């Protein structure tokens, strides 16, 4: 059964693209937006926007070398999605 939109769980606020980004980072490790965009077949600007949302939500962290890596919260979210 589908959950009515008014009762959507909080993780529904994260787009499908963002979920895929988290999954790729978990699979391949810390990655740059260019690398992630290539893995997902999306544009670098679109990937960068999704990463910015994930950073604000505390799901990924920007490393000094411009790679993004999962935080504990990002890892925990992924385990609830898959």
């Amino acid at each position: 059964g589908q959950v009515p939109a008014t009762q959507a769980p909080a993780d529904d606020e994260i787009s499908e693209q963002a979920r895929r980004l988290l999954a790729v980072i978990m699979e391949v490790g810390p990655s740059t937006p260019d690398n992630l965009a290539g893995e997902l077949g999306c544009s670098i600007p679109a990937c960068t926007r999704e990463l910015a949302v994930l950073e604000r939500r505390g799901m990924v962290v920007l490393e000094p070398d411009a790679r993004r890596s999962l935080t504990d919260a990002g890892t925990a979210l992924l385990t609830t999605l898959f």
Side-chain angles (χ1 to χ4, degrees):
Q2 290 195 333
V3 178
T6 55
Q7 296 176 346
D11 60 54
D12 271 6
E13 295 169 20
I14 294 178
S15 72
E16 182 61 31
Q17 182 84 336
R19 293 175 194 200
R20 290 174 58 214
L21 275 170
L22 290 172
V24 170
I25 295 169
M26 179 176 245
E27 188 178 321
V28 303
S31 302
T32 62
D34 303 33
N35 187 31
L36 291 167
E39 288 280 340
L40 293 173
C42 65
S43 72
I44 294 168
C47 184
T48 302
R49 277 193 302 274
E50 292 292 349
L51 286 167
V53 170
L54 290 170
E55 282 177 50
R56 283 195 302 274
R57 292 174 178 233
M59 302 293 163
V60 298
V61 65
L62 175 59
E63 301 290 349
D65 60 5
R67 295 181 305 162
R68 303 317 193 277
S69 60
L70 287 179
T71 63
D72 289 343
T75 303
L77 176 65
L78 265 180
T79 61
T80 67
L81 296 175
F82 296 104

